[in-house]
Amino acid sequence: MELLKRLFGRKERQAEEVYEITTSKGVLKLWLEQDLQQDPDPKVEEYWIETLDVSEDARWLLVGRRYGLFQFYDWRGRLHRLPARPPAQVVLEILFKENFLILITPPYLVVYRIEDPENPATWKSFKLSQEGIRPSMGLDLMRGVLAFGVVGNRVYAIDVGEDLSLQRVEFKSSFSVSEIGELRAIKFLTPSKLFITGTEGSAIYSLSGNLLKKFPYRAGRAVALINGRLILGEEGKVIVLDAYKEEELYKIDVPLKVSQLDGDPEGLFVFLADAEENHLGILDLQTPQYLQTLEGFGYSVVKVSKDGYIYTSRWLQDKDRKLYQLVKLGSNLVDFIYPKDRQEKVLKQAERAYKEFVSKVQKAKDLSQLEDLNSLKEIARLGHPP
């Protein structure tokens, strides 16, 4: 319900500058938000942003900077304390998925189980640090199985979904990915297939380690799996693959050196971060075509939240030092995914289900009457639009 209210209930804020981009489905609008709380550490912006991710319910944003510095924000832009902060010198990857928060902070792999999404203090965690296994880069999770890259260009898969205490780790598999150069990113295609990118190419492997198909694309960390499509970024182009047929659909030339990319859940638009400049590129995948480059932000990292916000960064020269600022962009992305009449219907449906739920709880005489509440299931489903 909270996510629905944030999606459909907010009004477009007045901003000094609104970027309007003409697309195949209407005008996409972006604007700079000003609600990110200033970090109390005045030097934090001197350390570049290595990675960031947003929780699947769009409630939390975690930013990892150089030297293992973290910034932990809620969706309103307020800073919080990361629970059981790992003693890291560097943070290379962050992943929110399936009620877990997972970090690669060499020499550790840190796993948090999100017990109560509203209260990070309740999140339980454990650190995996084992001789011969040094997590490096590449991280994804599907159905409780976590795959991550380690030094030596190997992939380990462990089961984090079975043991609720997180005291025991079951290794599902371990295999080499030397065919793609140095490993950079991992994406689960199915519970038994992984798409892995590296410095010399990309490939699909089975979870048991068999090489199934190799591709020439050197996407590095610029890879996203959105609505059945694998989207890869290279210098000067973006490649789109059908994730199920495992074949190329098309290429788009872009005027950027793509370092990262991400898109909305429907895969209507993809946003490209530049590896060197403050440039944010925008693709329309419906056409498909490259739409526009926005200058002033878009450096290095980009992540699209389910509530329509886009998080990226920019660098600024301040006398004799370089600053790396976190940037939050508002957008009207939700209006493309949910037209206005559809938004009204979803909200009315959610309100009806909520009233029905409250009524049944008030009338229940014992817990047995609350075991199967369809209205509660409906509210939960509506709270996470596809």
Side-chain angles (χ1 to χ4, degrees):
M1 283 291 289
E2 180 185 329
L3 179 54
L4 283 176
K5 290 177 182 177
R6 279 153 45 196
L7 282 168
F8 303 154
R10 71 175 183 227
K11 294 181 179 179
E12 192 171 303
R13 295 186 184 180
Q14 295 296 317
E16 291 184 5
E17 185 173 7
V18 177
Y19 303 90
E20 297 189 352
I21 302 99
T22 301
T23 78
S24 61
K25 288 186 173 292
V27 177
L28 174 64
K29 297 180 181 180
L30 303 177
W31 57 89
L32 281 170
E33 294 281 353
Q34 303 295 333
D35 60 357
L36 287 173
Q37 183 180 342
Q38 188 71 30
D39 196 293
D41 182 354
K43 289 189 175 182
V44 72
E45 290 185 348
E46 295 183 25
Y47 307 115
W48 65 71
I49 296 174
E50 295 274 9
T51 182
L52 52 80
D53 199 19
V54 184
S55 60
E56 291 182 308
D57 62 2
R59 189 187 302 271
W60 299 104
L61 165 71
L62 183 59
V63 179
R65 291 180 180 263
R66 189 186 182 196
Y67 299 134
L69 293 178
F70 291 97
Q71 291 175 294
F72 189 39
Y73 288 92
D74 64 25
W75 67 274
R76 294 184 178 88
R78 297 179 302 193
L79 277 165
H80 294 257
R81 184 183 297 274
L82 181 69
R85 182 186 178 280
Q89 294 301 311
V90 63
V91 51
L92 295 181
E93 200 141 0
I94 296 170
L95 177 69
F96 278 101
K97 201 170 183 181
E98 296 182 9
N99 292 321
F100 287 95
L101 166 61
I102 305 154
L103 314 176
I104 289 182
T105 60
Y108 302 108
L109 174 77
V110 185
V111 180
Y112 299 85
R113 182 184 291 278
I114 300 176
E115 302 286 350
D116 177 358
E118 296 187 18
N119 184 8
T122 66
W123 301 358
K124 297 178 181 177
S125 68
F126 80 94
K127 296 192 294 288
L128 174 66
S129 178
Q130 187 169 323
E131 187 175 351
I133 301 178
R134 183 181 176 88
S136 58
M137 198 169 288
L139 184 64
D140 202 11
L141 176 73
M142 181 175 278
R143 297 183 184 177
V145 175
L146 173 65
F148 61 97
V150 304
V151 172
N153 227 44
R154 295 186 66 82
V155 171
Y156 278 82
I158 62 175
D159 195 325
V160 297
E162 290 186 356
D163 183 14
L164 295 179
S165 68
L166 295 177
Q167 297 302 310
R168 175 177 55 83
V169 175
E170 178 186 344
F171 286 86
K172 305 286 285 188
S173 66
S174 167
F175 56 93
S176 171
V177 291
S178 58
E179 297 88 353
I180 61 168
E182 294 181 20
L183 191 155
R184 288 294 179 264
I186 297 173
K187 293 293 177 186
F188 269 102
L189 300 182
T190 71
S192 60
K193 285 185 181 181
L194 298 167
F195 183 83
I196 302 179
T197 66
T199 55
E200 301 300 325
S202 307
I204 296 175
Y205 293 85
S206 69
L207 190 60
S208 58
N210 294 321
L211 175 62
L212 303 178
K213 190 169 185 177
K214 191 175 178 183
F215 301 92
Y217 316 123
R218 293 179 292 179
R221 301 178 71 179
V223 54
L225 177 60
I226 304 172
N227 201 19
R229 286 174 289 182
L230 271 166
I231 303 162
L232 315 175
E234 290 187 332
E235 184 171 2
K237 62 179 177 289
V238 169
I239 304 101
V240 179
L241 308 179
D242 186 310
Y244 305 116
K245 295 182 180 179
E246 301 172 5
E247 60 186 29
E248 182 182 313
L249 295 175
Y250 50 82
K251 290 189 181 80
I252 303 174
D253 291 331
V254 300
L256 302 174
K257 184 177 181 180
V258 185
S259 59
Q260 283 192 21
L261 53 80
D262 197 20
D264 64 88
E266 291 294 307
L268 301 177
F269 305 104
V270 171
F271 300 86
L272 314 174
D274 190 273
E276 298 174 351
E277 304 296 336
N278 292 329
H279 288 164
L280 184 73
I282 305 173
L283 294 180
D284 183 340
L285 290 191
Q286 302 304 294
T287 327
Q289 65 176 323
Y290 185 81
L291 294 176
Q292 195 168 329
T293 300
L294 301 183
E295 299 184 6
F297 45 81
Y299 169 69
S300 182
V301 294
V302 64
K303 189 69 181 178
V304 180
S305 173
K306 274 192 177 179
D307 57 4
Y309 290 113
I310 300 158
Y311 296 95
T312 181
S313 70
R314 63 183 171 194
W315 61 263
L316 302 171
Q317 194 67 44
D318 179 33
K319 297 180 181 178
D320 58 345
R321 61 177 185 165
K322 208 171 188 178
L323 302 181
Y324 301 89
Q325 296 181 341
L326 178 65
V327 174
K328 180 180 180 181
L329 299 173
S331 79
N332 66 334
L333 274 173
V334 69
D335 294 335
F336 288 85
I337 302 171
Y338 286 87
K340 292 295 184 183
D341 58 340
R342 174 61 178 154
Q343 292 184 29
E344 292 175 2
K345 288 178 182 178
V346 171
L347 281 175
K348 286 180 180 178
Q349 187 178 356
E351 290 170 356
R352 176 193 56 75
Y354 179 71
K355 288 179 181 178
E356 181 182 335
F357 166 71
V358 172
S359 176
K360 287 185 177 180
V361 170
Q362 291 174 339
K363 292 177 181 178
K365 295 181 180 179
D366 55 61
L367 290 176
S368 63
Q369 295 179 317
L370 300 176
E371 290 179 355
D372 187 20
L373 286 177
N374 290 328
S375 53
L376 180 58
K377 295 176 182 177
E378 186 176 349
I379 292 169
R381 178 178 60 80
L382 288 169
H384 298 276

